Amino acid sequence: MDLEKAGPRTPAERSTQVSRPEGCLVVAIRVPVRIVVLVLVVPVRMVWDALVVGGRLLRDSVLRPLGRALLWV
C-alpha cells in the first residue's frame, strides 16, 4: 500500500498542498448559484427570522398575559 496516495495527514501538510485549477464549467455553474443565493435565499431567510422574532415578542408580551388574565377571570 502506498501511503503517499492517502493524502496529507497533518494540517501543515494540508496547507502546503497545491490545489487543482477549476474548470470553466465549475465556475460557470458556481457564479449563478451564488447570485441566486445572494438575491433570493438570504433576504427570504432574513424576513423569516424577523417574523419569528416578532412572533415570539407578540407571544411573550401580548398573548401570554392575555391568556393568564382570561384564566384569572
Side-chain angles (χ1 to χ4, degrees):
M1 183 167 110
D2 191 10
L3 293 178
E4 291 180 12
K5 292 182 182 177
R9 300 274 183 196
T10 64
E13 289 176 353
R14 280 188 220 116
S15 66
T16 60
Q17 185 180 9
V18 177
S19 63
R20 295 182 296 180
E22 297 177 348
C24 62
L25 184 61
V26 173
V27 174
I29 293 173
R30 186 176 293 161
V31 170
V33 167
R34 285 184 179 177
I35 292 171
V36 167
V37 167
L38 186 65
V39 171
L40 293 177
V41 175
V42 172
V44 169
R45 176 63 193 251
M46 290 176 66
V47 169
W48 179 258
D49 288 342
L51 287 173
V52 168
V53 169
R56 287 181 184 171
L57 182 68
L58 182 69
R59 181 188 66 197
D60 292 342
S61 64
V62 176
L63 297 177
R64 187 175 291 158
L66 183 63
R68 287 180 183 165
L70 289 175
L71 285 176
W72 186 69
V73 171

